[in-house]
Each structure stands twice: as C-alpha cells, then as structure tokens.
Amino acid sequence: MHGRTYTADAAPGETVTVAGWLHETRDLGGIAFLILRDKRGRIQVKLEKDGMDDALVETGLDAHRESVLRVEGDVEEEPRAPTGVEIVPTAIEVVAAADPELPLDPSGKVDAELPTRLDNRTLDLRKPEVQAIFRIRSAVQRAVREAFREHDATEINTPKIVATGTEGGTELFPVSYFGEEAFMNQSPQLFKQLLAGSNLERVFEIGPIFRAEEHNTPRHLNEATSIDFEGAFCDHTEAMDVAEAVTTAAYEAVADDCADELETLGLADEFAVPDGEFPRLSYRDALDRVNATGELDEHLVWGDDLSTEAEHILGREVGEHYFVADWPSEVKPFYIKDHDDDEETSTGFDMMHPRMELVSGGQREHRYDRLIEGFEQQGLDPEEFGYYTEMFRYGVPPHAGWGMGAERLLVTMLDLDNIREAVLFPRDRQRLSP
Ligand code: ATP
Ligand code: MG
C-alpha cells in the first residue's frame, strides 16, 4: 500500500495513512476508541460521535474485531493513549472485514488449546508472543547461516525424495514416484557426505527431514528442520567445535537482535548466552555420572542407550549444554567411524541441552572396504546404496559432521513446553493439515 505509515512511526503533527487489524473497540458513549494493530505496534484512533462525520464514525464502530482497516488522519499527542499519540481520522475504510465470531481470540484474553491454535494459525500468529517465536526462529536461521559462512562452509540443497533411506527401511514415509516406490528423506546424511568428498569440502544445509516415527512426544515431529554440517579433513572433535560455535552464535544473535521478542516472551532477564565451551563427557563418563546419582532403578552398563530419564538426570547434573562422545560402536550407525585404537568405541557424539538431545554427529567411515563391512554388519544391502558407496572408491578424504534439530534448538532456547510451538504448521500423528 503506497504511502502507508507503520503505527510505530506515526509522529504528532503528521497526516498519515495507517493500515492494520482492529484489535479492540472501546466505546465510552460520546467518544470511542479503535485500537489498530500492525506489524510494528498499535495506535489509538479517536471517534467523536458529535464532532465527526456520521458515516465515518459508523464505519469505525460497525467494524468487527480483527477486520482490516485503513485509517487516514492527523496524529496528535495524547498522554492518555496507550502509546502517547492518537489519530484523529478523516477517512476510515474497511479493507477486509472479519466475521463477528472468531475461532480464537488473538487478543489472548481467552486461552485456546494448542490444536485450536494450530488449526487457526493465522489468527494465532496475531498474538505478539506467538509472533515472537517465529521472529526469533528467523533470526536463528540467519545467524546459523552466517556462522557456517565464517566456518567456510557452502550452503547446499539436497533431494528430499529418495530411492533409499539413510539407515534402511524403518521410519521412512513411502511415496509413489511415477509408479515406483520412493521415500521422503529422513536425513541429508549420505548426500552431504558425497559433497564433503567433492572439492566443496565444507557444506551445510538447513532443510526438512521426514521421520515416520510413531511416537507422539513434545520433542518429536514427523517433519522437522535439520541444520546439517559436513566437513572434509575434519575429525569428530573439530565437528564438535563447529556445533558449539553455531549454537553459541544463534544465542548471541537472539540476545543482540531480539530484545523486544525476548521481553514479549518474558525471557528478557533469564536469557543467557552459553559460554561457548560445552563440557565434553565420554559415554563412559556419562554412565558413571548417571549411575552415581542412584536415581535410576537399573545400573547402566556399556552398550545401553541413554533413556529419556537418564538424559534428564545427566542434564540436571551437568546443568548446561554438553557433549557425550565416544559411544559404543554398536549403538551408532554404519557411517560413523570407530576409533583407530579401539574398535569397540566410535567417534559418534551427541550434543545435549539439559532437556534433550540437540545434535548427533561423528567422524565418518571413509575407507571403502570398512564402509561396505559396516553396511553388511547393520543388515543393509550395500548395492542398494551404490550411488553412495561407489564414490568412496574415487578419493573421499576423512570427514566429519553432524545434524541438529532446528526446532529443538528453539524449544530449549526459549523454554517452550512443546516442539510444535516452534513450527508454523507442524506435522505429527494427528496433523496433516493445515
Ligand atoms: P531422538 O533419539 O531424540 O529421537 P535421534 O537420535 O533419532 O533423536 P538423529 O537421527 O540423531 O535423531 O537426528 C539428529 C537430530 O535431529 C536430533 O538430535 C534432533 O535434534 C533432530 N531430530 C531428529 N528426529 C527428530 C524429530 N522426529 N523431531 C524433531 N527433531 C528431530
Ligand atoms: Mg541422535
């Protein structure tokens, strides 16, 4: 809309045209106020029933909440107005009318359950605290891109429709591809490795991953956004350095650029940027720390996965972001390299927030013969993955990398209850639309 002024920029003495949503109408009898809301804030519009054009007053008073209005008028100082200024209108136009009954109340006075909110996301997003999450999400993605650039990584985009999954048939969504069976990719793992093996060397991607997991939890989605890194000539410790740096950069950007959003979310005081050096525990250290608390019924032994409960105990013990490295080879996938001096132990690592896992990574197996052995040990047919394994015959250097769930980064950063809060249109067991 040409010549439109944001409500936040309307200064006393100016004649402006503002446009936005009718947040509220306060009718006090002889005088009434419309509160108009746009992307940047709110402004009061004064209607005087005796002193103003009847048609104009009527248009303003008849408009239902959340209708879109265009208001032209003079901006005046008014200490009693919410923002210290008000508009005395000379014209009001209903640009898009809203029905009188709304499926949810964007003013937030009436609470709505998450499913209702997600069904009516456009209205839900009109609430400042919901918008704040997605403005922060945007800032995080930008910061992550910049952090990768500083680490000399090239942004890539890999296919999401694939012939074979990363780790075999489980957790895959099948799709029909011109009559052939194909799948939605569960991870860019194999592609990013193929690209690290090219002269690109260091690559990153921010893109969707699809997981047909059955469980409905506050930290799992069926479509998530994965932040992926892969670097040639990197070992697992260097990959951990990058994960730490990218995470810290995301927090820093939010602290620097999203003060208003943090305030809106009630986090202004408690928001803390991690110090950039996360403790690095070995898997064995992790078992010992958990066992020492005596809080688990069973005693964890080598080869056990860390249950959600064990992760929570460890999170409480460590109290900040941390790594668990040197996992048993048997619990990590075939593409993770074992330590040269100890084949029982892999270079696989997880990066944890005290509440949940954020990252899995490791150094990759780049030796052709070992890679093929790994496939066979995991019960996978290496021939099905020929497009991947063959390239390892033509000079793929040692490389390492990781994948981080973008939504988990946000959920933990903003202390949200449910991962769905960090997705505009989540996909889960119950939800395929909108
Ligand atoms: P978990 O054990 O917590 O289910 P995972 O170990 O199966 O996760 P990975 O395959 O290691 O997950 O994926 C790397 C990262 O991607 C995870 O650490 C997590 O941040 C994110 N991620 C994986 N699956 C999901 C999902 N279903 N929903 C949201 N994020 C996910
Ligand atoms: Mg993992």
Side-chain angles (χ1 to χ4, degrees), residues 131-370:
Q131 239 175 68
I133 295 171
F134 293 97
R135 291 190 191 193
I136 290 175
R137 182 175 167 135
S138 168
V140 162
Q141 285 187 199
R142 177 178 164 172
V144 164
R145 286 198 161 87
E146 255 153 43
F148 278 128
R149 213 178 297 269
E150 275 168 33
H151 282 86
D152 203 19
T154 303
E155 181 159 13
I156 55 166
N157 304 97
T158 62
K160 303 307 159 201
I161 306 176
V162 294
T164 47
T166 305
E167 292 164 43
T170 56
E171 292 188 358
L172 284 168
F173 284 113
V175 291
S176 166
Y177 193 74
F178 303 115
E180 264 184 66
E181 187 175 60
F183 303 96
M184 303 304 294
N185 206 6
Q186 61 194 166
S187 155
Q189 180 64 37
L190 306 185
F191 293 106
K192 65 178 178 172
Q193 285 190 253
L194 292 177
L195 295 166
S198 76
N199 272 168
L200 285 175
E201 294 194 18
R202 284 171 162 243
V203 294
F204 78 94
E205 176 165 15
I206 304 178
I209 55 170
F210 304 89
R211 307 242 169 150
E213 13 208 0
E214 302 281 332
H215 35 266
N216 224 340
T217 80
R219 63 194 167 91
H220 287 95
L221 294 159
N222 293 110
E223 176 175 352
T225 307
S226 186
I227 300 170
D228 275 273
F229 169 75
E230 201 67 31
F233 307 105
C234 281
D235 69 10
H236 63 297
T237 64
E238 290 166 294
M240 286 193 253
D241 294 344
V242 178
E244 204 169 65
V246 166
T247 306
T248 308
Y251 272 81
E252 273 168 358
V254 173
D256 290 347
D257 304 335
C258 303
D260 290 348
E261 286 77 9
L262 291 175
E263 179 82 42
T264 301
L265 290 168
L267 296 171
D269 294 334
E270 67 206 63
F271 191 80
V273 178
D275 73 3
E277 286 200 22
F278 307 162
R280 296 185 182 187
L281 281 63
S282 70
Y283 166 84
R284 205 175 271 293
D285 296 337
L287 295 189
D288 291 346
R289 296 275 294 259
V290 174
N291 286 334
T293 66
E295 287 177 49
L296 271 192
D297 290 341
E298 79 274 37
H299 191 83
L300 294 175
V301 295
W302 182 262
D304 286 344
D305 214 337
L306 291 179
S307 62
T308 308
E309 199 187 349
E311 280 178 8
H312 286 163
I313 293 171
L314 199 53
R316 273 201 302 277
E317 286 292 299
V318 182
E320 58 176 314
H321 288 92
Y322 62 97
F323 288 96
V324 180
D326 307 329
W327 283 75
S329 304
E330 65 199 70
V331 304
K332 286 290 173 188
F334 63 85
Y335 50 79
I336 300 278
K337 189 171 173 292
D338 297 334
H339 280 290
D340 287 332
D341 54 359
D342 177 6
E343 292 202 350
E344 300 296 301
T345 309
S346 79
T347 61
F349 63 83
D350 287 349
M351 191 188 87
M352 311 291 298
H353 177 276
R355 277 177 67 194
M356 66 185 81
E357 177 190 313
L358 298 185
V359 171
S360 281
Q363 186 174 336
R364 318 308 188 181
E365 182 51 74
H366 70 284
R367 297 162 298 183
Y368 179 80
D369 295 341
R370 295 296 189 93

Side-chain angles (χ1 to χ4, degrees), residues 57-84:
V57 172
E58 203 174 311
T59 305
L61 287 180
D62 285 355
H64 295 127
R65 243 169 10 121
E66 296 304 316
S67 294
V68 178
L69 306 183
R70 203 174 70 94
V71 177
E72 214 179 292
D74 303 317
V75 186
E76 294 185 357
E77 248 173 90
E78 173 49 73
R80 287 165 296 178
T83 59

